[in-house]
Amino acid sequence: MSPSGEVVASVSSALAVLLVLLACVELGDAAAAVGVYRLIQYDLAGAPLGSRAAALNHHAAAFPLPAGADLSRSALVAPLLDLPLAFLREYLAEKKHLGGLLILLPRNISAKNVEGNNDDKGEPKNVLAELEKLLMHEEVPFPVYFAFHDDNLDNLLADIRKIASSGQPASASTGGYKLVVPSAEPKKVSSPTISNIQGWLPGSKGEGDAEQLPTIAIVANYDTFGAAPALSVGSDSNGSGAVALLEIARIFSRLYSSPKTRGKFNLLFGLTSGGPYNYNGTSKWLRSFDQRVRESIDYAICLNSVGSWSHDLWMHVSKPPENPYIKQIFEDFSDVSKEMGISVGIKHKKINVSNSRVAWEHEQFSRFRVTALTLSELSTPPEFLESTGGLYDTRESVDVESVMRTVKLVSEILARQIYGLRGRNIDVFADNSSLAISPHYIRSWLDLFSRTPRVAPFLQKNDPFIVALKKELSEHTTDVHVQNDVLDGMFTFYDATKSTLNVYQVSV
Ligand SMILES: *[C@@H]1O[C@H](CO)[C@@H](O)[C@H](O)[C@H]1NC(C)=O
Ligand SMILES: *[C@@H]1O[C@H](CO)[C@@H](O)[C@H](O)[C@H]1NC(C)=O
Ligand SMILES: *[C@@H]1O[C@H](CO)[C@@H](O)[C@H](O)[C@H]1NC(C)=O
Ligand SMILES: *[C@@H]1O[C@H](CO)[C@@H](O)[C@H](O)[C@H]1NC(C)=O
Ligand SMILES: *[C@@H]1O[C@H](CO)[C@@H](O)[C@H](O)[C@H]1NC(C)=O
């Protein structure tokens, strides 16, 4: 090192010591460090939405607030059920300044109101859905973080309330706590990717078959969108559909592995990304196919939100139900569903090719003139960026039984078509048989999906999760291929999706 370098180094290390000392004088030791998840920040067609700030450094405050409290320099800590939406709406509408907001989430979103005395506040799941919708579609000028209740935070909350009840506003002179999330300015995510994963189970031609074999496509979208990208695990939307797809691939690979039971249809499996963005990935995936391959697709079954239904499922189509082809498919569904004691209804919604909005995944197929349907427990199309696997869509909201019934329904329908068994009451995938549907397999994949946030711009193309999906599909199918594309268009995303919150006790 050169002499002048040494001087610079020693000056800067002295400065560092000084800064540390200053920090200590003001704050003392961090009382706790907690993992926190930031509200999404994105631009939609140039409009800034979500949380526009990440750095937090303010005194903690909590409800109930003294009348006329000025929160412009406070970090408000609020358990989910204590945060009135009206309060938040007012702050956003009137552009009132808030130093920051930390929302405490229950560990189990599906658990009923545990405290018992707050029936009027509603169930956590519904409250969270409302809150998520509000925060996602507004420009929020202050930092907003989510954290899960734990002992540290609960103690902190109790302490802040105690100080507040003493009547004095929290400030440097009354002690209390300071909440600090050191964070650089969030940066734009450059060229966010969407990765579609596909695999084939090729059928076998009979002796004299010259024609190309027809293909049936099974498709499910696997990415999510929600108020906190690092928490958007979408167990139902659409983890459940993707898990059902993997299980269908697994059981059909057993049939297709023997020349005797290989069918005269190719099966194409597609795990698609970009679902929340009008199924952008599905569109790009379809475009990537050779026209001949696309034309060989007899029809596609898209599986979406199939993890929490008990009796009714819906088949959504873009062609009218009177269309002979749709009529046949619906009859196939009706026959098997009757035997299973469940009900499948049909819903017809025309596509509008001059509108970029795509409500169901099968509509992307319809745009390419490929017959397709979406099977879902939802009876109506969700709004843009709704039911996309956000905060409230957790493992507790899906059950293995629902996914198993979906797999059973689709597999029996496929088997009857592929093996010419229509109208026969048989049970190809009978329990206890070697083709039985595996609850264990479904449960373990649901668990993995439910632990993995999957907001596409924050999933790298070689993300372990994508690698795992590819590997799993390779276990059961051939010609497995990952198509990476850029999510272009009207969205811009910003990083800093999670961080560590330091809680400092302020000495009086
Ligand atoms: C969450 O709550 C639901 C409803 O009370 C319950 O059925 C489920 O077992 C809970 N899950 C966990 C992991 O505690
Ligand atoms: C999940 O499924 C629902 C229902 O089919 C769909 O509307 C929604 O957009 C899907 N979510 C994602 C992330 O694609
Ligand atoms: C189709 O979408 C375009 C563009 O959004 C809209 O102007 C038109 O009214 C729509 N047509 C129908 C029949 O809904
Ligand atoms: C068949 O499976 C059911 C559960 O699906 C189980 O209760 C039953 O014991 C099994 N029977 C045999 C013979 O293994
Ligand atoms: C989706 O894809 C098309 C072309 O593939 C693109 O023009 C469009 O803007 C994309 N983005 C969204 C968010 O729809």
Side-chain angles (χ1 to χ4, degrees), residues 150-165:
D150 70 1
D151 289 348
N152 279 330
L153 289 172
D154 290 344
N155 292 338
L156 168 75
L157 195 64
D159 259 10
I160 309 170
R161 283 177 174 152
K162 204 156 61 189
I163 296 167
S165 67

Side-chain angles (χ1 to χ4, degrees), residues 352-490:
N352 177 349
V353 282
S354 49
N355 192 333
S356 61
R357 169 78 186 120
V358 176
W360 299 110
E361 184 160 27
H362 74 265
E363 295 179 357
Q364 286 294 12
F365 287 81
S366 305
R367 285 168 183 241
F368 284 92
R369 303 181 182 282
V370 177
T371 303
L373 62 98
T374 295
L375 195 63
S376 177
E377 69 211 11
L378 307 178
S379 61
T380 53
E383 296 292 319
F384 188 48
L385 299 182
E386 238 183 71
S387 290
T388 49
L391 278 174
Y392 62 90
D393 187 354
T394 58
R395 179 65 180 85
E396 291 82 28
S397 65
V398 295
D399 63 274
V400 172
E401 270 301 311
S402 298
V403 180
M404 284 184 74
R405 273 196 306 270
T406 307
V407 171
K408 174 88 176 163
L409 175 69
V410 173
S411 303
E412 292 289 348
I413 289 163
L414 289 176
R416 282 170 208 212
Q417 179 175 2
I418 292 172
Y419 300 110
L421 302 168
R422 277 196 174 113
R424 295 228 224 130
N425 189 347
I426 49 153
D427 204 357
V428 178
F429 304 95
D431 290 350
N432 306 354
S433 75
S434 65
L435 292 174
I437 296 158
S438 161
H440 170 75
Y441 184 86
I442 291 175
R443 184 172 296 111
S444 59
W445 275 98
L446 272 182
D447 290 347
L448 178 63
F449 269 79
S450 305
R451 285 195 304 268
T452 316
R454 305 185 303 279
V455 178
F458 303 106
L459 274 183
Q460 305 299 322
K461 56 183 165 217
N462 50 4
D463 189 278
F465 184 72
I466 292 176
V467 173
L469 285 181
K470 181 184 177 198
K471 182 161 172 285
E472 188 58 27
L473 213 49
S474 310
E475 295 278 318
H476 312 309
T477 65
T478 60
D479 292 330
V480 173
H481 170 71
V482 180
Q483 180 206 14
N484 292 309
D485 217 318
V486 174
L487 174 61
D488 50 7
M490 52 193 180

Side-chain angles (χ1 to χ4, degrees), residues 314-365:
W314 297 95
M315 172 174 148
H316 298 271
V317 290
S318 334
K319 286 185 183 162
E322 305 78 49
N323 172 296
Y325 208 61
I326 297 294
K327 212 166 151 192
Q328 174 69 63
I329 298 173
F330 185 56
E331 259 173 43
D332 292 349
F333 270 86
S334 303
D335 286 350
V336 177
S337 62
K338 260 187 225 120
E339 284 162 27
M340 289 175 61
I342 57 177
S343 127
V344 178
I346 188 165
K347 294 259 175 161
H348 171 220
K349 170 182 166 297
K350 277 195 202 157
I351 57 164
N352 177 349
V353 282
S354 49
N355 192 333
S356 61
R357 169 78 186 120
V358 176
W360 299 110
E361 184 160 27
H362 74 265
E363 295 179 357
Q364 286 294 12
F365 287 81

Side-chain angles (χ1 to χ4, degrees), residues 277-278 280 283-284 287 356 487-491:
Y277 324 108
N278 293 316
N280 210 262
S283 156
K284 288 186 164 132
R287 187 165 304 170
S356 61
L487 174 61
D488 50 7
M490 52 193 180
F491 281 86

